């Protein structure tokens, strides 16, 4: 009986083995058939086509900033290289005793006097604001990605305001020198007024951002101070124009063009900043606002540079 049972078990095992082989063969054949249907040979490793990831908004701003930085630097090198050595005088005003008037009057007469300090080469002034603006863009480009993302989330950019303060102040200085403003104190005040207005605007942006884009009484006050700071230099320029017109002076054509174009562009920048400040329309989008403000400042700097070159610095 034991022998018969062993024989039956052996037969059963022998009968089952071919079935397993047949299943494996069928599976192998099925795999080959599927591979042939797909038009490819069987392979153990499957390769997937990878799509190049798209740039984020912050990365696009980084790339744009890099191009603007390059544009500023190229212009700075060009204007110093091809521009002439035309310069504007800088003087210091002070009170002094007028000897001739004192002798004629029989008593001491004190009058205003001016002392020549230095001649400022105009091409270097133009290059200075171009290099400053380029430096700000370079800092924006090399900054940590987390900072750029945070800037877009918060809704205001300290570097942009710094560019407006330093670059805009030097641009106002160039316009003042061209317009006949020579006193070092007045030149410093005009430059500082523009820079101060931009910095107060930065404080306003911070206040509005902390209030989720809503106006507050404090933000209105600081915004008004910023506008006053940026308008004061233009009132001084209007005074020089009025003096020339009243006292038979002369304003060259290129200077009229500079006054008109810069007034339009600076007003455009101020309007854009105001719309961004209070999140109006498309300006509520941080990325859109940054792109447009970068472009406006670049256009203003470029327009001033080459108008000065055409009027004064060309050989």
């Amino acid at each position: 009986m034991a022998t018969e049972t062993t024989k039956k078990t052996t037969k059963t095992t022998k009968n089952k083995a071919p079935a397993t082989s047949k299943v494996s063969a069928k599976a192998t054949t099925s795999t080959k058939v599927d591979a042939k249907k797909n038009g490819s040979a069987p392979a153990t490793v499957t390769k997937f086509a990878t799509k190049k990831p798209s740039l984020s908004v912050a990365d696009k701003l980084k790339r744009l900033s890099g191009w603007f930085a390059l544009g500023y630097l190229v212009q700075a090198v060009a204007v110093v290289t091809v521009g002439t050595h035309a310069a504007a005088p800088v003087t210091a005003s002070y009170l002094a005793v007028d000897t001739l008037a004192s002798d004629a009057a029989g008593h001491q007469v004190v009058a205003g006097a001016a002392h020549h300090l230095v001649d400022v080469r105009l091409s270097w002034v133009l290059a200075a604001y171009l290099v400053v603006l380029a430096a700000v863009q370079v800092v924006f480009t090399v900054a940590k990605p987390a900072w750029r993302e945070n800037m877009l989330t918060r809704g205001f950019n300290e570097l942009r305001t710094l560019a407006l303060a330093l670059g805009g102040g030097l641009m106002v200085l160039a316009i003042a020198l061209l317009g006949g403003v020579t006193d070092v104190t007045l030149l410093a005040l005009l430059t500082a007024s523009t820079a101060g207005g931009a910095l107060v605007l930065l404080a306003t942006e911070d206040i509005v951002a902390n209030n989720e884009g809503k106006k507050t009484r404090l933000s209105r006050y600081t915004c008004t101070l910023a506008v006053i700071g940026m308008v004061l230099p233009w009132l001084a320029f209007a005074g020089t124009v009025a003096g020339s017109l009243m006292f038979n002076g002369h304003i060259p054509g290129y200077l009229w063009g500079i006054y008109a174009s810069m007034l339009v562009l600076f007003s455009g920048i101020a309007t854009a900043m105001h719309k961004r400040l209070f999140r109006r329309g498309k300006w509520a989008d941080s990325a859109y606002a940054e792109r447009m403000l970068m472009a406006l400042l670049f256009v203003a700097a470029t327009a001033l540079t080459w108008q000065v070159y055409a009027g004064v610095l060309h050989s």
Side-chain angles (χ1 to χ4, degrees), residues 58-70 137 140-141 287 290-292 294-295:
D59 288 335
K60 289 179 181 179
L61 279 178
K62 172 185 174 180
R63 179 174 292 183
L64 182 63
S65 180
W67 282 113
F68 279 136
L70 180 61
Q137 297 299 333
F140 183 90
T141 303
E290 293 302 324
R291 287 196 302 269
M292 293 303 296
M294 281 184 189

Side-chain angles (χ1 to χ4, degrees), residues 80-126:
V80 171
T81 303
V82 303
T84 62
H85 291 239
V90 176
T91 61
S93 301
Y94 60 98
L95 287 175
V97 176
D98 189 332
T99 306
L100 295 177
S102 297
D103 292 341
H107 58 84
Q108 189 180 71
V109 177
V110 178
H115 177 76
H116 180 268
L117 295 176
V118 66
D119 288 323
V120 178
R121 186 173 164 182
L122 292 172
S123 60
W124 286 107
V125 178
L126 304 183

Side-chain angles (χ1 to χ4, degrees), residues 140-161:
F140 183 90
T141 303
V142 301
K144 293 181 179 180
W147 180 87
R148 283 189 295 272
E149 294 288 352
N150 188 36
M151 178 271 296
L152 290 173
T153 303
R154 288 180 302 157
F156 72 97
N157 181 1
E158 299 93 335
L159 289 177
R160 179 235 304 152
T161 310

